[in-house]
Amino acid sequence: MFDIQEELKKLPGSPGVYIMHDEKDDIIYVGKAVSLKNRVRQYFQTSRNKGIKIEQMVTHITRFEYIVTDSELEALVLECNLIKEHRPKYNTMLMDDKTYPFIKVTVDEPYPRVMLARRMQKDRAKYFGPYTSAGAVKDTIELIRKVYKIRGCSRKLPKDMGKERPCLNYHIHQCMAPCQGYISEEDYKKSIQKAIHFLNGDYDLILKELEEKMQEASEALEFEKAIEYRELLNSVRKIAQKQKITDTAGDDRDILAAAVEEEDAVVQVFFIRGGRLIGRDHFYLKIIKGESEAEILSSFIKQFYAGTPYIPAELMLQDEIDDLGVIEEWLSKRRGRRVHLRVPKKGTKEKLVELAKKNAALVLSTDKERLKREEGRTIGAVKELEKLIGISGVVRMEAYDISNTNGFASVGSMVVYERGKPKRNDYRKFKIKGVQGADDYASMEEVLTRRFEHGMREQEEGKELGGFTSFPDLILMDGGKGQVNVALKVLERLNLHIPVCGMVKDDNHRTRGLYYQNEEILIDKNAECFRLITRIQDEAHRFAITFHRQLRGKGQVHSILDDIPGVGAARRKDLMRHFENIEAIKSATVEQLKELPSMNEKSAQDVYNFFH
């Protein structure tokens, strides 16, 4: 038995990381400390004002462990790694895992290339970015290749020079074909230098050149060429307009600000490279109620910059954060050069931080509205359903469907919705084992019996809730009175009391209403409840069909006739030639079956018995 008070006495005064566990031994919190003894004790001191989050967490701690490190910096790195690995409940968690592209110029090659790169490597190439949009990067690279005639191939030059014919780009005047030696290495590198100036934000030179070439082509009556230069000119202007100047220092910096509401937070980041705002992005975080914006920013910085391939020279923050010094040291070590964390108090930088904060609040507000709409589609629709059939407390709903081809490869599907949303981890599929032929009622009885008997066994074994173990608050059957009665029969036999609804379809196979307690209830087609029932019905059908197709795809497609004892290839052919379809064979009498050339008394009786 873990005695918390006794273990607190054994804590060392060294820096390190502490790990809190709950009653299931799950990791619920990871933190770092300059002194493990002082920091961990604080959680269990009743006199301290710990805040809502910590007070809530402490009630769930059943044991803790710790890892001693040589420094606070090492503790911070270890903390970041453990949080990323275990995603503890009470740590502020970054919900987005985004990567940002770079533009890479392979300046170490004799004939350099310009390409997209997902991460910055320690090679001799030149990198620009990171950029927030892969689409914008691709557009920029395409424009550079058009304007400066830079090659886009991966040929090794000059080794592969002249080995193959020039590609299409040469013929449409978008490459100078260095692969054929049509341009010298020296002249090609001049074009690369111009491209690098362009990527550094020096657009004036290329704008001037394109303007002059457009005028010259126009004066020479070469209108197609003039249009081509005009389009390039417009493309350059478009990119130039996106790169808005934010300050004159020409530095790389990120501007960070957070907005908080209840258990949701958004951090907005403005990316400034070379003094230009190249883009912005926002990140959702799941927090514990009561966390401050400074705490959220601190958690975000540690998680985001542990994974991003580029760290700028400066981070501008809205609030002073704890551990500022050690975070600066950690970021500087990762970057290989000094990184500063600052809270601007006046001027342009303060306005940028304020702008980032406004954007974060706007994103959070907009998202809240979206969540409200989503709640109407889900929880709101469930409440409508409860009101419609006169029950309450519906959280989990299970829907069932059967699928087969003329009785072959019959399968059943179980889809699960919780609070109006699909819970795909709990979906289950069943291969029908004890039913021959196309008997949907018998197949459904088998599926429901197996599902609930399995669930009852798991409950007796004390398994965690989920899958078969969790029972529904409402069962939805794909069909009307017949399917509902099958479900009620199974539930009665197993002494289970769960409401059952049939999802009734019209003649066009579209949702019409519900069958509940021997009565069909029509649903307003404009109601969210109607849309939810339709989604559930379609999902149950889709899941069953998908499984059925998987079985057919495994070479198990054959006629149901193959399952009849005494019916081989010759008799199967005779049956299919003589009767129009399987239904006609099912309806045939023994005398009618005996009329076939390949049939005798016994085989005709076997076919009849199989279907009856």
Side-chain angles (χ1 to χ4, degrees):
M1 185 71 179
F2 191 89
D3 188 329
I4 289 177
Q5 294 304 321
E6 281 301 313
E7 294 301 323
L8 286 173
K9 295 174 186 176
K10 301 175 187 176
L11 284 165
S14 315
V17 170
Y18 52 93
I19 304 161
M20 304 298 195
H21 293 258
D22 65 5
E23 62 277 3
K24 295 178 184 175
D25 211 32
D26 292 334
I27 294 173
I28 59 172
Y29 189 75
V30 174
K32 68 159 186 65
V34 181
S35 168
L36 285 166
K37 179 168 46 177
N38 295 342
R39 185 73 186 96
V40 178
R41 280 179 173 178
Q42 289 174 3
Y43 288 98
F44 303 97
Q45 291 172 355
T46 53
S47 58
R48 293 186 67 89
N49 181 15
K50 297 186 281 285
I52 300 171
K53 170 186 170 180
I54 300 302
E55 284 182 0
Q56 187 180 345
M57 180 189 76
V58 169
T59 61
H60 295 288
I61 297 171
T62 56
R63 76 177 183 93
F64 60 81
E65 56 181 314
Y66 56 88
I67 301 168
V68 174
T69 60
D70 288 333
S71 67
E72 190 182 0
L73 178 60
E74 279 187 20
L76 185 140
V77 174
L78 182 57
E79 178 197 30
C80 290
N81 292 337
L82 289 173
I83 288 171
K84 191 173 183 181
E85 175 71 23
H86 297 288
R87 302 186 69 80
K89 178 180 178 180
Y90 287 96
N91 284 99
T92 299
M93 293 308 305
L94 179 60
M95 307 300 287
D96 309 83
D97 188 15
K98 304 176 183 178
T99 58
Y100 296 100
F102 294 81
I103 293 178
K104 176 180 178 179
V105 184
T106 58
V107 290
D108 57 318
E109 295 180 335
Y111 292 90
R113 293 166 293 153
V114 179
M115 63 182 74
L116 182 146
R118 282 290 171 187
R119 56 195 177 94
M120 186 185 282
Q121 296 176 316
K122 290 185 178 179
D123 52 17
R124 287 176 290 177
K126 198 169 182 66
Y127 289 85
F128 297 87
Y131 297 90
T132 53
S133 165
V137 168
K138 288 171 185 174
D139 290 344
T140 303
I141 290 171
E142 186 182 351
L143 178 61
I144 285 170
R145 287 174 180 169
K146 284 180 181 178
V147 171
Y148 299 107
K149 310 291 192 290
I150 305 296
R151 72 186 182 104
C153 67
S154 56
R155 294 178 188 177
K156 293 181 179 178
L157 302 179
K159 181 184 172 183
D160 294 338
M161 199 174 280
K163 287 186 178 179
E164 295 179 38
R165 290 180 297 176
C167 67
L168 178 64
N169 284 337
Y170 168 73
H171 296 291
I172 61 173
H173 311 296
Q174 290 188 12
C175 179
M176 294 177 283
C179 60
Q180 305 301 310
Y182 293 167
I183 181 172
S184 68
E185 189 176 326
E186 185 183 351
D187 288 341
Y188 185 88
K189 284 192 173 176
K190 285 179 182 176
S191 293
I192 285 290
Q193 282 305 313
K194 288 182 179 179
I196 289 171
H197 285 306
F198 178 87
L199 289 168
N200 278 323
D202 187 0
Y203 307 113
D204 293 339
L205 183 62
I206 188 59
L207 286 169
K208 186 180 177 183
E209 281 184 14
L210 290 172
E211 186 87 46
E212 288 172 357
K213 287 180 180 179
M214 183 181 72
Q215 291 298 334
E216 287 170 9
S218 181
E219 288 167 7
L221 305 181
E222 295 175 332
F223 297 118
E224 284 186 13
K225 194 176 280 188
I227 289 169
E228 187 181 322
Y229 285 130
R230 186 188 66 190
E231 288 176 354
L232 288 174
L233 195 61
N234 288 336
S235 296
V236 174
R237 282 175 179 152
K238 190 177 178 183
I239 285 176
Q241 284 170 1
K242 286 182 181 178
Q243 308 291 318
K244 295 175 182 174
I245 297 286
T246 57
D247 61 43
T248 55
D251 294 331
D252 288 1
R253 60 169 56 94
D254 287 353
I255 313 289
L256 295 88
V260 186
E261 191 173 324
E262 300 292 326
E263 295 180 352
D264 295 299
V266 167
V267 172
Q268 180 83 206
V269 185
F270 287 169
F271 301 97
I272 296 171
R273 301 293 178 262
R276 289 172 170 78
L277 177 63
I278 65 162
R280 63 178 184 174
D281 212 341
H282 59 268
F283 301 84
Y284 294 98
L285 296 101
K286 204 67 187 169
I287 64 170
I288 303 299
K289 192 175 178 180
E291 285 192 75
S292 68
E293 291 171 351
E295 288 175 314
I296 290 161
L297 277 178
S298 179
S299 296
F300 173 80
I301 289 167
K302 287 186 278 188
Q303 291 179 65
F304 180 70
Y305 292 101
T308 188
Y310 179 78
I311 298 171
E314 198 171 50
L315 304 185
M316 292 289 181
L317 313 176
Q318 72 188 81
D319 295 306
E320 199 82 35
I321 63 171
D322 291 337
D323 306 323
L324 188 143
V326 71
I327 291 174
E328 275 190 340
E329 187 183 350
W330 168 63
L331 291 173
S332 300
K333 195 171 180 181
R334 286 208 68 233
R335 184 173 187 258
R337 281 181 288 169
R338 185 73 179 146
V339 176
H340 297 279
L341 273 65
R342 296 196 169 99
V343 181
K345 301 297 182 185
K346 60 181 180 179
T348 308
K349 292 169 184 174
E350 187 198 16
K351 287 177 182 174
L352 275 170
V353 171
E354 186 60 35
L355 185 62
K357 185 170 173 59
K358 283 180 182 176
N359 276 268
L362 181 64
V363 169
L364 189 58
S365 169
T366 305
D367 198 55
K368 283 286 182 186
E369 290 301 315
R370 181 185 62 77
L371 290 173
K372 281 180 185 175
R373 290 195 299 273
E374 180 67 20
E375 191 172 303
R377 291 179 68 247
T378 54
I379 297 171
V382 174
K383 290 191 181 302
E384 285 182 18
L385 175 60
E386 289 177 341
K387 190 175 179 182
L388 196 67
I389 61 177
I391 63 173
S392 61
V394 175
V395 176
R396 180 183 173 103
M397 295 184 286
E398 292 179 3
Y400 295 85
D401 194 13
I402 300 292
S403 179
N404 60 64
T405 303
N406 291 328
F408 168 68
S410 287
V411 299
S413 70
M414 163 183 141
V415 302
V416 180
Y417 275 63
E418 283 193 359
R419 296 178 178 84
K421 293 181 182 179
K423 191 180 183 185
R424 292 185 174 85
N425 286 345
D426 283 7
Y427 283 17
R428 295 294 182 267
K429 47 196 178 188
F430 303 82
K431 198 185 289 186
I432 305 301
K433 298 174 180 176
V435 179
Q436 288 188 329
D439 189 337
D440 284 359
Y441 289 161
S443 297
M444 185 60 76
E445 185 175 351
E446 179 185 321
V447 166
L448 292 169
T449 301
R450 283 165 56 189
R451 181 265 178 272
F452 286 107
E453 285 183 346
H454 192 154
M456 291 165 79
R457 281 196 306 273
E458 286 191 350
Q459 286 179 355
E460 286 173 10
E461 292 165 7
K463 287 197 175 181
E464 286 187 26
L465 292 178
F468 285 125
T469 315
S470 296
F471 281 6
D473 303 303
L474 177 66
I475 294 172
L476 295 166
M477 306 299 295
D478 187 48
K481 182 177 181 180
Q483 292 285 19
V484 169
N485 286 339
V486 167
L488 292 172
K489 175 183 170 185
V490 172
L491 294 173
E492 186 179 359
R493 188 168 67 241
L494 298 175
N495 197 28
L496 295 172
H497 305 284
I498 302 169
V500 182
C501 261
M503 298 181 288
V504 185
K505 291 185 177 180
D506 60 21
D507 295 337
N508 297 315
H509 212 64
R510 289 183 302 220
T511 306
R512 183 177 71 201
L514 295 171
Y515 183 83
Y516 183 63
Q517 293 184 338
N518 298 315
E519 181 186 349
E520 185 174 322
I521 304 167
L522 294 177
I523 313 173
D524 179 2
K525 290 187 178 180
N526 296 315
E528 288 294 352
C529 171
F530 179 84
R531 296 188 183 100
L532 175 63
I533 295 296
T534 303
R535 287 198 298 274
I536 294 172
Q537 195 168 28
D538 290 345
E539 180 70 349
H541 187 60
R542 179 201 66 78
F543 194 54
I545 286 286
T546 302
F547 182 40
H548 178 61
R549 284 173 180 162
Q550 285 173 355
L551 293 184
R552 288 192 331 203
K554 292 176 181 174
Q556 296 184 9
V557 176
H558 61 203
S559 169
I560 189 175
L561 302 178
D562 291 333
D563 295 333
I564 304 174
V567 173
R571 284 175 178 154
R572 187 175 68 244
K573 280 183 184 177
D574 261 4
L575 285 165
M576 294 308 293
R577 282 173 183 162
H578 188 80
F579 297 97
E580 289 183 2
N581 50 42
I582 294 290
E583 291 301 319
I585 298 172
K586 285 182 185 178
S587 304
T589 63
V590 175
E591 294 303 316
Q592 288 172 324
L593 291 166
K594 277 169 58 180
E595 292 174 6
L596 274 66
S598 62
M599 287 284 186
N600 55 32
E601 179 87 30
K602 183 179 181 307
S603 59
Q605 191 66 50
D606 285 342
V607 172
Y608 182 84
N609 290 344
F610 180 82
F611 288 112
H612 296 86

